[in-house]
């Protein structure tokens, strides 16, 4: 229930995916009152639909600013997931069994990229890889990234939602679509016909961020990029994340396999379709032939907040209006660093990393 005292807050966050909820928790821990809106239930858009790999796919393809956020986040994940588990009782199933990369012609680039970085990249033999993943079709010289983890992102979203619901400084308003209007310097927020005031607003609306910014006549490059996924029944055919030809298998603790994903530029349409099913299914069988005997449980689609180079906007577009969005394929892994950085900037603290590359407009 919403009391009139909650019509205003120090900070209003729009969007309760991993980015909005983590930002809210950071800001609340820093002492702010935070009002968080979502047009649906928290955590059920891209943050639910994703795979949960705690690394960019092919991390060597990204520019250093994405690596900087990913590296900071990867170190923060174990404590984050442990403390969410203690405070909410929800286990997000963080598993650190590494990522095996096969069928790539980027070996030299990958090995050079990994030098000196904590997510090291190692060349291993086919025999060694076979011992790790006996059901996977391998090429002669796979790459092995032993420190890469994965989470069950649907559970992480549930845990973050619980943490927000129980935080004394946060009010989470679900099924409240927000409309942004007015000018960049004096934006106005309304939802369900009521106006809300706050010292500052944070847009964390994922793929919908551009639609909101259009309300204050600001163009931004963040746009929806559809991704589809298949879910196989418990079979325990893979033990760790396996990546081949742009497609990946992620094991869940109960033996299910999440297999993804497509990358489609089709606007806000997010219906799973036959074409993606056939393409993903063929890739899954070519990676793990034994899956032919395994029943499929589900197919779904989500909308990533696509951005040029996967570089998010983190920072102010005016004194009043801030953005934390555009994490594209990496929003789960980048969420801890992005949210801490946003909070550092809003609190005038020394930032964890140089914020320049993520400044709105620069990061386009
Ligand atoms: C198939 C797929 C696989 C992926 N795999 C991975 C992976 O393995 N690892 C990884 O790190 N990332 C992965 N991602 C990317 C990751 O899921 C996203 O980058 C991340 O979830 C973005 O989080 P977000 O909070 O910005 O967006 P969302 O989770 O989409 O949250 C935005 C929220 O804003 C709300 N909202 C929008 N407009 C309004 C409005 N007007 N008013 C109120 N609320 C509004 C929405 O309802 C939504 O809940 C994957 C994504 C997909 C689709």
């Amino acid at each position: 229930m919403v009391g009139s005292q909650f019509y205003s807050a120090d900070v209003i966050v729009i969007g309760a995916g991993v980015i909005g909820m983590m930002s809210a928790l950071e800001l609340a821990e820093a002492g702010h009152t935070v009002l968080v809106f979502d047009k649906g239930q928290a955590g059920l858009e891209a943050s639910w639909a994703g795979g949960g790999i705690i690394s960019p796919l092919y991390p060597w393809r990204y520019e250093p600013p994405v690596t900087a956020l990913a590296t900071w986040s990867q170190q923060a994940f174990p404590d984050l997931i442990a403390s969410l588990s203690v405070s909410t009782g929800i286990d997000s199933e963080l598993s650190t069994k590494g990522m095996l990369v096969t069928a790539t012609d980027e070996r030299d680039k990958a090995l050079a990229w990994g030098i000196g970085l904590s997510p090291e990249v190692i060349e291993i033999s086919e025999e060694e890889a076979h011992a790790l993943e006996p059901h996977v079709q391998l090429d002669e010289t796979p790459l092995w990234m032993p420190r890469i983890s994965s989470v069950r992102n649907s559970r992480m979203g549930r845990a973050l939602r619980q943490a927000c619901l129980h935080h004394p400084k946060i009010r989470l308003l679900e099924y409240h679509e927000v409309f942004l209007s007015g000018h960049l310097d004096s934006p106005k927020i309304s939802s369900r016909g009521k106006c809300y005031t706050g010292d500052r607003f944070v847009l964390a609306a994922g793929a919908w961020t551009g639609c909101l910014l259009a309300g204050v006549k600001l163009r931004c490059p963040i746009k929806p990029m559809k991704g589809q996924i298949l879910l196989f029944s418990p079979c325990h055919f893979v033990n760790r994340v396996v990546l081949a030809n742009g497609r990946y298998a992620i094991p869940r603790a109960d033996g299910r396999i999440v297999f993804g994903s497509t990358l489609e530029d089709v606007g806000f349409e997010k219906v799973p379709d036959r074409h993606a099913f056939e393409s993903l299914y063929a890739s899954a069988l070519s990676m793990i032939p034994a899956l032919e005997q395994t029943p499929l449980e589900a197919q779904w689609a989500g909308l990533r907040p696509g951005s040029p180079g996967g570089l998010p906007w983190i920072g102010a577009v005016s004194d009043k209006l801030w953005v934390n969005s555009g994490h594209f394929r990496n929003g789960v892994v980048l969420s801890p660093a992005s949210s801490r950085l946003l909070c550092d900037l809003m609190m005038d603290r020394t930032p964890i990393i140089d914020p320049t590359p993520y400044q709105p407009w620069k990061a386009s």
Side-chain angles (χ1 to χ4, degrees):
M1 218 173 73
V2 185
S4 58
Q5 69 268 34
F6 298 131
Y7 284 26
S8 83
D10 296 337
V11 184
I12 293 182
V13 175
I14 302 158
V18 282
I19 300 295
M21 289 192 282
M22 295 263 288
S23 301
L25 288 163
E26 284 285 349
L27 290 161
E29 285 303 303
H32 291 300
T33 55
V34 188
L35 189 52
V36 188
F37 287 92
D38 202 284
K39 64 183 173 57
Q41 187 178 311
L44 289 190
E45 288 289 351
S47 300
W48 178 92
I53 305 171
I54 305 304
S55 169
L57 292 178
Y58 304 106
W60 46 88
R61 292 183 187 171
Y62 287 87
E63 294 295 325
V66 173
T67 304
L69 288 174
T71 307
W72 194 95
S73 293
Q74 283 161 338
Q75 281 158 12
F77 251 93
D79 285 350
L80 167 73
I81 296 300
S83 87
L84 274 177
S85 171
V86 169
S87 65
T88 67
I90 299 170
D91 176 10
S92 307
E93 295 183 2
L94 179 72
S95 161
T96 307
K97 293 189 179 163
M99 177 162 81
L100 194 60
V101 186
T102 182
T104 174
D105 55 7
E106 298 173 356
R107 262 180 209 93
D108 293 345
K109 194 174 174 187
L111 291 166
W113 174 87
I115 293 168
L117 284 180
S118 61
E120 55 184 326
V121 186
I122 301 168
E123 204 160 17
I124 57 171
S125 69
E126 193 178 346
E127 292 69 38
E128 288 168 316
H130 183 74
L132 293 172
E133 292 298 340
H135 291 99
V136 172
Q137 290 281 95
L138 298 158
D139 65 6
E140 282 169 15
T141 45
L143 294 173
W144 171 228
M145 300 184 72
R147 298 194 194 171
I148 300 301
S149 336
S150 62
V151 290
R152 199 161 187 158
N153 44 298
S154 54
R155 292 190 178 211
M156 183 179 161
R158 269 174 48 211
L160 287 170
R161 177 173 179 266
Q162 281 300 314
C164 286
L165 285 170
H166 290 126
H167 200 291
K169 287 191 170 285
I170 298 178
R171 287 293 172 274
L172 174 59
L173 298 186
E174 300 181 309
Y175 302 100
H176 275 70
E177 182 171 9
V178 165
F179 298 90
L180 188 65
S181 60
H183 298 286
L184 205 49
D185 293 323
S186 54
K188 294 187 173 28
I189 277 181
S190 63
S191 181
R192 293 192 180 182
K194 293 193 178 87
C195 290
Y196 292 83
T197 57
D199 293 342
R200 286 177 288 183
F201 304 150
V202 174
L203 296 188
W208 295 267
T209 299
C211 308
L212 279 153
L213 283 172
V216 288
K217 301 183 181 49
L218 185 67
R219 283 169 67 94
C220 97
I222 299 167
K223 65 172 190 174
M225 292 295 282
K226 181 178 178 182
Q228 302 194 47
I229 279 200
L230 301 182
L231 180 69
F232 288 90
S233 302
C235 58
H236 296 277
F237 284 152
V238 286
N239 306 302
R240 60 213 10 103
V241 178
V242 181
L243 177 59
N245 297 311
R247 296 265 158 96
Y248 51 81
I250 308 170
R252 297 305 194 210
D254 54 16
R256 287 184 166 83
I257 294 177
V258 168
F259 195 89
S261 63
T262 62
L263 185 62
E264 304 163 62
D265 189 357
V266 292
F268 285 96
E269 182 275 298
K270 58 165 191 165
V271 180
D273 62 66
R274 182 93 212 159
H275 177 71
F277 167 80
E278 282 169 2
S279 166
L280 288 167
Y281 193 70
S283 298
L285 261 52
S286 124
M287 184 194 286
I288 310 161
L291 278 178
E292 194 168 9
Q293 313 300 330
T294 307
L296 261 172
E297 280 189 2
Q299 176 186 2
W300 64 76
L303 299 175
R304 309 174 182 94
S307 58
L311 198 58
W313 275 21
I314 306 170
V317 292
S318 70
D319 286 348
K320 184 110 183 169
L321 195 56
W322 294 65
V323 179
N324 191 6
S325 190
H327 298 78
F328 207 169
R329 307 194 77 167
N330 304 311
V332 178
V333 53
L334 302 186
S335 57
S338 304
S339 308
R340 176 66 63 84
L341 180 60
L342 176 87
C343 189
D344 287 343
L345 296 172
M346 293 184 83
M347 299 282 298
D348 253 335
R349 299 188 305 218
T350 306
I352 47 162
I353 47 180
D354 176 10
T356 315
Y358 323 100
Q359 272 172 24
W361 294 301
K362 281 200 175 159
S364 352

